[in-house]
């Protein structure tokens, strides 16, 4: 009998998050106030975020307790299965061992719920009545809607207008969980009105939606805060529960990964699966490789620059140190909406700069093809975002076959693709293509940044 | 700490299916040959189905081993969680204990995979190269596509044309898993051509799709067999893995159900969760109630008649004993597509006739409302089919509150609703309504049946 799905007894569910900052040889640079250009304090950040989250954002504590109430909700779907991908190994005829962590089993279908639940909880504890946020593809928006409803906190989601039309199922999921969904740009905010005045037919962008959500939180500070589903230190912290579970689960198999792979948008699912293994590299002399896989059409890690930049297009957010393509960069409309973001989180950017992790870019068609292969081998249809990790894992497994070596490969299946079937339809219809970015376009955007500081 | 999600160690996964026929005081009546009107033998049934499945269809053995290869695939997602619905209990302020079995975690999102895998396996073992089947809502079609791909067997799905257009995501899932999906009626079969000749714009029905799939299997007997996702004895047998797991999981909690609830289309998910508990009633003097919940608009159990009838509209299938509304009955286009079927499985029909189980009908609007409540309380958006079980469970829980009694209620969450969000959208848009069936309509259809025998 072959063990496929490795689960921990519930009593072994992690009770702490791991804060990698404690172990980083070079700490991440601080966020800067967009007006004064000075490092921001917890007080400064607390205007935008719940205080506890602002504290986590700047914390250097190695471990942070997961509140009991949050653990309680996690038990609805955690721990998530670690799966030995025997089917994929057989299909590729590779001597490599392939494992994946199945984050698609969460109620909203992706890893995003891991941070949505604590964010809703800390805001509730502080007496906050309403959360504002943005969503592109809708995975974060649905996760925070679910979590907000659980704690009885209202959620306003500014959803990129074009996504709102393209992804009606995601929009309806948010509504079913009781959230208000506003197609952005709206005429409810200064930012939205200014944009609509210039272009009444504007179909929106993630940058605009962030501006709207932040503005509404700042205007209603008495009972409202803003929240975000990726990039920020506290979000990455919450996701480390993935890797902590994984370490324990792998111990049950006797295997240890030679390479750990995650797709990369802002960094949350990549950090989630890799940081606990990175700790083992830092503290126990392990030599695991870590690969962040981004779309060829949005290559901030492989072709961007390490710079301070804004998280949004308009420039309302703190300035953050990051690998970036510039906040004016407009990514092509690939199906992996969750990876269409100009910048990377501060911690991940520092780790990449210091050589502790690697980055790779991947064309869209290879990703969806790999997703179909995976669906047929393992039975689970992956989200377009997750196909980037799969595509790289397949490349590694085929390299093992070529070289006749048996490595252990681990990747994060960040979500399922059941509400993203349009991407697959486009492939079968022969309409899917790759998008490349010219050096000139990147240089032009980066040049804009030099004026910032 | 409150335990929410109860899982068995993988070593405790059931290794046998339970065949309730062995314990039934009155055995189900046999299938009859549609031409000779004589009871059908394994040989007769083997023309349509794989021989092993034909044997299971007529078996009276109490337990049947689950093949190792099938158990191996089940481990991708089984055992499935038994969840204590603390959130729902809190929301309803009921003294009742509510549990649900979460079958939505399977790769195709419903319990259908439990029978799809063994059906594909037995056909493969027999050397069959191609399976034909029909699908309405698409849950069975996607499950058998996934299973067929796993064993390298081709799958042709005849999908009701109107569903094919309304449920593009389901269609794409099947295609991603490598199946051929034909909008039915097609011009590939005599049945399809005859119907299209009369009505070129015909949008299809489950009955027509079954006729097409059966015809193609009969015409290609050398390497093709037909398969079906509900009603039949062997399908119900395969689903008993749900209840067998549940019994062991409840043992871990110390609770035992006073009532077990499943939604009802042909009987597969209802049988799956109830039959092992029914065995405990038969053999250990337990007094659990069992409630099959059908749509008000398709009330075969509560208002149909116990009769021999066809499984399809045209009359190609064996004659089966069942509670039926008549094979010409056209159910209203409710969102719970999986429950739109004129008849009930033979075993369940016999059990209902003999008073061992109960039936209830439920209007569509109450179901979807209950589904939204459940989504907000437990985080999981249920399939429209499953909302029927939830709605009844909520009624029971509220009755407990009224009476001040604390019962233990268990229901089957047969699938999630992520690819059925249109149903919820219609509710929020105020377009959802109930559909009632007149006594005259039922009487007219039943009268047709009397000519059969």
């Amino acid at each position: 009998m072959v063990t496929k799905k490795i689960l921990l007894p519930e009593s072994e569910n992690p009770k702490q998050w791991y804060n990698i900052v404690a172990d980083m040889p070079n700490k991440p640079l601080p966020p800067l106030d967009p007006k004064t250009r000075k490092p921001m304090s917890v007080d400064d950040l607390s205007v935008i975020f719940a205080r506890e989250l602002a504290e986590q954002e700047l914390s250097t504590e190695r471990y942070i307790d997961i509140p009991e109430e949050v653990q309680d909700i996690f038990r609805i779907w955690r721990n998530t299965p670690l799966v030995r991908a025997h089917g994929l190994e057989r299909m590729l005829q590779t001597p490599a061992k392939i494992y994946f962590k199945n984050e698609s089993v969460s109620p909203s279908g992706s890893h995003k719920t891991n941070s949505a639940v604590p964010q809703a909880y800390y805001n509730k504890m502080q007496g906050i009545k309403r959360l504002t946020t943005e969503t592109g593809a809708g995975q974060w928006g649905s996760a925070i809607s679910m979590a907000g409803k659980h704690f009885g906190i209202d959620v306003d989601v500014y959803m990129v207008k074009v996504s709102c039309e393209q992804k009606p199922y995601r929009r309806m999921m948010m509504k079913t969980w009781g959230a208000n969904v506003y197609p952005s740009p709206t005429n409810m905010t200064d930012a939205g009105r200014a944009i609509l005045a210039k272009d009444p037919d504007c179909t929106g962008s993630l940058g605009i939606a962030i501006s709207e959500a932040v503005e509404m939180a700042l205007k209603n500070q008495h009972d409202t805060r803003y929240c975000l589903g990726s990039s920020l230190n506290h979000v990455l912290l919450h996701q480390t529960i993935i890797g902590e579970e994984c370490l324990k689960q792998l111990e049950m198999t006797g295997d240890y990964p030679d390479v750990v792979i995650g797709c990369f948008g802002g960094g949350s699912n990549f950090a989630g699966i890799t940081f606990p293994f990175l700790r083992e590299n830092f503290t126990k002399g392990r030599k695991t490789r870590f690969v962040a896989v981004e779309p060829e059409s949005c290559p901030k890690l492989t072709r961007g620059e390490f710079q301070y930049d804004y998280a949004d297009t308009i420039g309302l957010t703190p300035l953050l140190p990051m690998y970036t393509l510039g906040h004016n960069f407009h990514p092509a409309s690939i199906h992996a909406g969750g990876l269409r973001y100009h910048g990377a989180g501060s911690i991940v950017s520092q780790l990449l700069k210091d050589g502790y992790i690697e980055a790779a870019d991947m064309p869209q068609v290879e990703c969806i093809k790999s997703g179909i292969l995976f669906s047929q081998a393992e039975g689970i249809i992956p989200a377009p975002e997750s196909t980037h990790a799969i595509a790289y894992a397949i490349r590694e497994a085929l390299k093992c076959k070529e070289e006749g070596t048996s490595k252990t490969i681990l990747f994060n299946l960040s979500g399922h693709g059941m509400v993203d079937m349009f991407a697959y339809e486009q492939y079968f219809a022969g309409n899917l293509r790759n998008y490349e970015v010219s050096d000139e376009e990147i240089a032009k955007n980066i040049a804009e940044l030099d004026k910032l500081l």
Side-chain angles (χ1 to χ4, degrees), chain A:
Chain A
M1 194 182 93
V2 185
T3 299
K4 293 190 103 77
K5 181 162 57 76
I6 300 122
L7 281 163
L8 303 171
E10 197 171 86
S11 58
E12 288 290 308
N13 279 7
K15 290 167 186 60
Q16 295 187 311
W17 291 301
Y18 168 55
N19 183 6
I20 199 171
V21 174
D23 290 321
M24 287 170 73
N26 296 316
K27 307 300 178 196
L29 299 173
L32 301 182
D33 186 293
K35 287 178 195 132
T36 65
R37 301 288 199 267
K38 283 190 185 146
M40 291 178 84
S41 65
V42 170
D43 282 345
D44 296 334
L45 291 171
S46 297
V47 177
I48 311 177
F49 302 108
R51 186 161 191 98
E52 195 85 29
L53 295 169
E55 274 169 12
Q56 291 178 358
E57 187 64 22
L58 300 182
S59 169
T60 54
E61 286 295 312
R62 203 155 189 255
Y63 292 101
I64 293 175
D65 288 343
I66 306 175
E68 271 293 333
E69 293 85 341
V70 172
Q71 288 185 47
D72 187 46
I73 298 179
F74 281 170
R75 279 192 287 272
I76 293 176
W77 75 98
R78 301 210 76 87
N79 52 83
T80 65
L82 175 72
V83 186
R84 174 79 184 271
H86 289 292
L88 189 60
E89 291 172 18
R90 225 170 9 237
M91 199 179 260
L92 301 173
Q93 298 190 288
T94 174
K97 290 180 184 175
I98 309 176
Y99 286 92
F100 64 92
K101 181 72 166 163
N102 186 359
E103 288 294 307
S104 79
V105 298
S106 94
S108 69
S110 83
H111 70 292
K112 291 291 185 192
T113 329
N114 299 335
S115 186
V117 173
Q119 288 195 46
Y121 169 76
Y122 289 122
N123 276 282
K124 177 67 178 183
M125 289 301 104
Q126 191 178 317
I128 295 300
K129 299 270 183 286
R130 183 176 299 273
L131 283 171
T132 67
T133 197
E134 73 291 326
T135 201
Q139 292 189 331
W140 167 248
S142 40
I144 191 71
S145 301
M146 194 282 261
K149 174 52 71 178
H150 200 99
F151 289 111
I153 199 164
D154 291 337
V155 177
D156 289 350
V157 183
Y158 295 83
M159 185 172 189
V160 177
K161 194 180 276 174
V162 62
S163 298
C164 211
E165 286 154 15
Q166 284 173 345
K167 310 230 175 192
Y169 283 26
R170 279 278 170 206
R171 174 169 50 77
M172 287 315 306
M173 284 167 71
M174 293 181 237
K175 221 166 157 183
T176 301
W177 280 317
N180 304 304
V181 184
Y182 303 112
S184 164
T186 74
N187 55 16
M188 298 157 61
T189 65
D190 295 341
R193 279 187 295 267
I195 283 155
L196 288 173
K198 271 194 243 167
D199 176 9
D201 299 323
C202 174
T203 56
S205 77
L206 206 51
I208 296 168
I210 297 180
S211 300
E212 291 205 279
V214 171
E215 182 186 324
M216 287 305 262
L218 290 173
K219 277 185 177 160
N220 298 282
Q221 280 179 46
H222 59 291
D223 69 352
T224 302
R225 288 293 179 280
Y226 167 71
C227 65
L228 187 85
S230 191
S231 303
L232 296 173
N233 300 359
H234 67 272
V235 181
L236 273 49
L237 173 78
H238 300 155
Q239 294 293 352
T240 57
I241 193 167
I242 302 173
E244 293 292 7
E245 286 178 5
C246 229
L247 265 169
K248 290 189 190 185
Q249 288 166 319
L250 275 170
E251 219 176 284
M252 292 164 73
T253 70
D255 288 322
Y256 195 87
D258 296 295
V259 56
V260 184
I261 301 160
C263 64
F264 197 92
S268 78
N269 99 82
F270 172 77
I273 196 161
T274 59
F275 284 5
F277 288 96
L278 202 46
R279 173 188 63 217
E280 306 297 291
N281 273 20
F282 282 141
T283 62
K284 294 187 186 155
R286 291 278 192 181
K287 303 276 183 212
T288 302
R289 287 171 56 213
F290 304 97
V291 187
V293 190
E294 62 187 6
E296 178 187 51
S297 56
C298 193
K300 59 218 165 204
L301 297 177
T302 49
R303 295 169 64 195
E305 268 191 40
F306 186 81
Q307 284 256 15
Y308 266 98
D309 196 0
Y310 294 112
D312 67 332
T313 313
I314 289 175
L316 292 181
T317 69
L319 282 162
L320 297 165
M322 58 171 87
Y323 274 93
T324 179
L325 294 163
H327 57 274
N328 287 318
F329 180 78
H330 278 292
S333 56
I334 55 169
H335 290 284
L339 309 185
R340 295 177 66 232
Y341 189 60
H342 66 274
S346 308
I347 293 177
V348 178
S349 294
Q350 189 66 47
L351 291 168
L352 180 64
K353 186 160 180 282
D354 294 343
Y356 296 112
I357 63 171
E358 305 166 33
D361 69 318
M362 194 64 74
Q364 170 163 268
V365 176
E366 180 176 343
C367 292
I368 293 290
K369 272 189 191 176
S370 301
I372 292 168
L373 203 72
F374 179 78
S375 305
Q376 298 188 348
E378 294 296 327
I380 304 166
I381 299 180
E385 290 81 5
S386 313
T387 63
H388 289 71
I390 296 170
Y392 193 88
I394 289 177
R395 281 194 191 174
E396 283 285 307
L398 292 177
K399 210 197 290 171
C400 284
K401 183 178 171 181
E402 211 179 285
E403 296 169 352
T405 55
S406 169
K407 283 187 192 159
T408 298
I409 300 168
L410 166 65
F411 69 87
N412 200 12
L413 184 73
S414 56
H416 66 63
M418 287 200 191
V419 278
D420 299 288
M421 292 309 303
F422 187 60
Y424 291 89
E425 172 138 48
Q426 290 296 301
Y427 172 79
F428 286 115
N431 296 334
L432 204 72
R433 67 176 185 90
N434 294 325
Y435 296 89
E436 281 171 38
V437 187
S438 71
D439 290 337
E440 291 69 33
E441 188 180 344
I442 293 177
K444 186 178 138 250
N445 270 290
I446 299 289
E448 281 292 309
L449 281 192
D450 294 335
K451 299 175 195 159
L452 268 184
L453 286 172

